[in-house]
Each structure stands twice: as C-alpha cells, then as structure tokens.
C-alpha cells in the first residue's frame, strides 16, 4: 500500500511496562518499518511535553502527572490533553488516526480527529474494573463507576469508523457493556521469531530444577497469590521453583505470603527485567502460568507460547482463546488452588508432556504473528480512507 502519515494515540507507551504500552510500541515501530510516517501521542514520562524520535517513530509527549496509586502510569488532565492533542493533530496533519484509549488523552485524540474530519480507527485494551480499585471510591460504588466507564468508552468509540479489540471475548465486552453495535477482533500480535524454545533434551541453566514462570504486573487482578498457594501445595519431593517477573502494588504482600507458607526458598521475585533478560526467562522456564482474571488477550501468554512453553491459565476472560486443555496446557477455575496445583504437578513431573504441549503452543501462536496484525491494520486504514463500510464478522 502507499505510505501513509499515521497518528497513533496511546494512553500508555514505552518506557511504560504493561501490555497496552508494548502493543502501542510494537504497532508504531512495525508500521514505521513498513515505510509509513508514524507519529505517536502519549503521556510524557517526565511530566513535561516534548518531541523525540524513537525507532523511526516521532513521539509527541503530552503534559502528564503521576497518580500515586498507579505508579506505573502517567495521567493527563482533560484540559491539557484536549489542547495539546488538538495542536499536535493540526501540526502532524495525518492521513489516518488510530487511538488506543478513550481516557483523557485518547478522548482528546478522538475529538481532534472528528473535528478535522480525519478517518479514525479505535482499539480497546482497557478493562475498567482494573482501574476502579485504584480510585478513592467506596467499595459499593466501584462496580457502578466501572459500568459508567464502559458506557463512556462506548460514547467515545462510537465516533470511530472502525473499532477493534484483541480477542473475540474482548469484542463481546464492547457490545455487552459499552453498547457498541459493531466491533471485531484483531490480535495484538507478537514478533514470534524473537522467542526460541529450548531444544529437546537441552540442559537447563542453573541447577536444572523445573521452573514455573509468571510475567506481569503484581497487581490484584493478576491473582499471583493463588499461584504461590499452589506452589505451597506441591509435594516437597517434586523439584520446582517459581519465578515472578514484574513489579507492582502487591509485591511486598506476595513476598510475605511466600514466606508465611514456607515456600520462600521456591519463589523468586525478580522485579522488572530488561528485554534480553525476559527472553532468557522464557527460554529457561518449563511451564508458564497466568492466574489473572482480567486479560483481554495477554501478550505475555502469547510470548510464552512462542517460546514453546505449556500454559496453565485461569479459565477467565480471553485466556481460553489461547489455552486448549490437553493440547498446549490446562485451564483452572479461578480460586481453585488445588486444581491449579494439580495441573502444575502433572506438568512438572512429565518432561515429555511439557515438550508435546510446548510444541502445540508454538503452532497455536503462529496466527498471532505481528506481521499479520500490521497487515490487517493497514487494510483497515485503506478502508477508512476510502470511506468503505467495515462489518464485524458474525
């Protein structure tokens, strides 16, 4: 296709460490590598506005402020986001706009695009329920406020020509809770070639103890406490260790839980790691576990699958789209720690089973290659530029 000038709105963007930020970074740099002139509007990591060029992408940073309960993110005020995104829109003059959020910054991007008549694509990565726990609201009002946020998301995204979400389940939520009548699934995509499974019979690093890996924010909805409790239920004569990669509000509490349950010697909290260290963590693991119950896709689960790992995951939200019980892993009912421990014990004790399920993970994840995702979005950009209707798949 012809080269386009594309403006990507991102409520969170690298160096932020979360799935939405990683997707936005991957989308922007991937499109730039395909010859497009890509501009990103994102909150400033320092708070001050400015412009920088990263990996061939022009990143316009908007004034932001830190919200203490959400230390990993910078938030923009509605008035600053509206004024600055409008000015950036006029300066960049994009052919097409692709927002990845509907909060202050995303709303500013959407409104500026609509006022200037520019084609607009919108992608949702947000579960409002993950946000309300960090707001100073009485517990009884949180579900009410989450419902309002879904409706607000629907109002903002109804202004887009095309709305997408990363999985069929995430699309269902847009119709059920946000009231949108048309949306369809486009995988976030990953660079599957970056992840390499350990060869059959290849020795592990370290002492050879089979390793369970978790990667993600250490926040309540990830429910890592269930994984730690499951490790405590494993037979002591079954070699096993748990590596926890990531940081967040619950790290101290979950570290204390491991100590309380007598498994501190089996659980290692690594905090944030570099990209190379993350690749090494995947390559050195034997089983990946995702106990979270609010995953709209779970990029880290896709990455683990690309690294050839069997996956044990909660039977919740979009995770059943990735894990096929008996094929590439197992699902457990959230809260059923004994079921989770049973799945882990079976995999940890059977190297041949891990190898077979890991190979299946590699096959399943192939359809999530980033090139396919980029190609799909390029086709969508062409359609909105031509003002063609785009219908959701039934």
């Amino acid at each position: 296709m012809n080269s386009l000038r594309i403006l990507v709105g991102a409520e969170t963007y690298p160096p932020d460490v979360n799935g939405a930020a990683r997707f936005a970074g991957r989308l922007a740099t991937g499109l730039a590598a395909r010859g497009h002139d890509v501009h990103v509007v994102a909150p400033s990591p320092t708070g001050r506005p400015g412009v920088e060029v990263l990996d061939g992408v022009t990143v316009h940073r908007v004034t932001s402020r830190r919200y203490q309960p959400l230390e990993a993110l910078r938030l923009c005020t509605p008035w600053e986001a509206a004024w600055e995104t409008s000015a950036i829109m006029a300066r960049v003059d994009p052919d097409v706009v692709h927002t990845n959020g509907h909060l202050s910054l995303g709303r500013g991007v959407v409104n500026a695009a609509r006022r200037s008549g520019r084609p607009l694509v919108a992608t949702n990565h947000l579960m409002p329920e993950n946000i309300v726990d960090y707001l100073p609201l009485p517990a009884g009002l949180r579900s009410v406020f989450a419902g309002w946020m879904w409706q607000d998301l629907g109002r903002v995204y109804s202004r887009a020509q095309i709305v997408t979400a990363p999985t069929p389940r995430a699309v269902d939520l847009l119709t059920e809770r946000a009231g949108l009548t048309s949306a369809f699934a486009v995988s976030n995509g990953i660079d599957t070639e970056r992840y390499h499974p350990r060869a059959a019979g290849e020795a592990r690093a370290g002492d050879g103890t089979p390793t369970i890996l978790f990667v993600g924010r250490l926040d309540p909805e990830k429910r890592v406490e269930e994984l730690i409790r499951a490790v405590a239920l494993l037979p002591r004569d079954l070699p096993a260790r748990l590596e926890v990669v990531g940081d967040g509000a619950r790290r101290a509490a979950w570290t204390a839980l491991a100590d309380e349950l007598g498994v501190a010697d089996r659980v290692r909290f690594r905090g944030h790691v570099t990209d190379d260290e993350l690749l090494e963590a995947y390559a050195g693991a034997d089983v990946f576990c995702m106990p979270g119950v609010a995953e709209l896709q779970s990029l880290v689960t896709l990455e683990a699958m690309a690294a050839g790992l069997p996956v044990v995951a909660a039977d919740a939200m979009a995770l059943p789209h990735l894990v096929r019980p008996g094929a590439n892993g197992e699902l457990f009912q959230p809260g059923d720690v004994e079921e989770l421990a049973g799945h882990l014990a079976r995999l940890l004790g059977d190297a041949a089973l891990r190898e077979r399920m890991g190979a299946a993970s590699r096959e399943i994840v192939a359809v999530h290659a980033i090139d396919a995702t980029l190609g799909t979005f390029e086709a969508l950009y062409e359609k909105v530029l031509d003002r063609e209707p785009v219908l959701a798949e039934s």
Side-chain angles (χ1 to χ4, degrees):
M1 69 178 298
N2 295 329
S3 175
L4 299 175
R5 183 176 298 125
I6 304 166
L7 188 145
V8 175
E11 303 277 4
T12 177
Y13 193 79
D16 292 350
V17 181
N18 60 71
R22 294 175 71 188
F23 167 75
R26 196 172 285 146
L27 173 71
T29 57
L31 291 169
R34 288 177 171 234
H36 301 291
D37 180 13
V38 182
H39 295 253
V40 170
V41 183
S44 168
T46 65
R48 297 183 299 275
V51 181
E52 57 186 334
V53 178
L54 298 171
D55 298 322
V57 176
T58 305
V59 183
H60 304 260
R61 297 291 188 176
V62 173
T63 302
S64 70
R65 288 165 173 76
R66 188 166 298 287
Y67 179 60
Q68 195 62 37
L70 283 168
E71 293 184 0
L73 299 178
R74 304 284 306 199
L75 303 180
C76 304
T77 63
W79 49 91
E80 287 172 330
W83 183 86
E84 293 181 39
T85 55
S86 181
I88 292 166
M89 188 75 66
R91 190 163 64 246
V92 172
D93 190 22
D95 298 308
V96 65
V97 178
H98 185 170
T99 186
N100 286 272
H102 82 290
L103 302 178
S104 296
L105 186 143
R107 190 184 307 267
V109 168
V110 168
N111 289 338
R114 293 292 284 170
R115 281 196 303 270
S116 57
R118 291 183 171 86
L120 176 63
V121 175
T123 296
N124 183 51
H125 305 277
L126 179 68
M127 278 281 292
E129 288 81 359
N130 293 347
I131 298 294
V132 295
D133 284 343
Y134 299 97
L135 300 178
L137 294 171
L141 291 180
R142 289 176 183 172
S143 62
V144 174
F145 192 77
W148 176 85
M149 286 186 69
W150 276 113
Q151 293 169 14
D152 185 54
L153 187 159
R155 284 190 292 271
V156 175
Y157 273 22
S158 67
R159 301 166 194 164
Q161 283 75 54
I162 295 174
V163 178
T164 77
T167 61
R169 179 59 186 141
V171 167
D172 289 344
L173 288 171
L174 289 175
T175 57
E176 294 167 4
R177 301 185 188 180
L180 293 171
T181 58
S182 180
F184 60 100
V186 181
S187 174
N188 284 330
I190 62 167
D191 183 358
T192 55
E193 298 306 312
R194 294 188 68 219
Y195 305 89
H196 303 286
R198 192 167 54 235
E202 181 182 344
R204 301 183 193 88
D207 61 7
T209 302
T211 299
I212 307 160
L213 177 66
F214 168 86
V215 179
R217 290 177 292 104
L218 303 190
D219 289 332
E221 69 273 11
K222 300 299 183 179
R223 299 177 76 150
V224 176
E225 75 276 8
E226 293 182 9
L227 178 52
I228 295 170
R229 292 185 185 280
V231 169
L233 292 180
L234 295 175
R236 291 302 298 187
D237 60 354
L238 177 66
R241 91 159 48 89
L242 168 63
E243 285 212 346
V244 178
V245 172
D247 213 339
R250 299 296 295 168
R251 178 174 178 172
W254 288 337
T255 300
L257 176 64
D259 187 58
E260 175 189 331
L261 296 175
V263 291
D265 60 328
R266 284 188 160 197
V267 180
R268 179 188 180 199
F269 289 86
R270 296 188 57 183
H272 290 308
V273 299
T274 66
D275 287 346
D276 286 343
E277 289 170 336
L278 181 57
L279 289 173
E280 291 172 1
Y282 286 127
D286 296 272
V287 179
F288 185 79
C289 184
M290 174 47 70
V293 294
E295 304 296 315
L296 290 181
Q297 182 164 52
S298 183
L299 279 174
V300 293
T301 301
L302 287 175
E303 291 169 353
M305 292 168 63
L309 296 179
V311 178
V312 178
D315 189 1
M317 293 303 295
L319 292 171
H321 292 302
L322 301 180
V323 180
R324 300 175 187 173
N328 73 314
E330 300 291 351
L331 296 170
F332 71 96
Q333 287 301 309
D336 192 336
V337 174
E338 290 187 359
E339 184 185 15
L340 172 55
H343 291 321
L344 293 174
R346 179 167 169 254
L347 280 162
L348 291 168
D350 192 336
L353 179 62
R354 295 197 301 269
E355 185 176 334
R356 176 174 65 79
M357 286 189 166
S361 281
R362 286 279 289 179
E363 292 178 6
I364 292 168
V365 83
V367 299
H368 297 278
I370 187 63
D371 281 347
T373 295
L374 295 172
T376 298
F377 279 120
E378 283 180 324
L380 295 179
Y381 300 155
E382 283 191 328
K383 288 184 179 296
V384 295
L385 282 166
D386 293 337
R387 307 294 175 176
E388 294 182 22
V390 180
L391 300 178
E393 295 180 0
S394 59

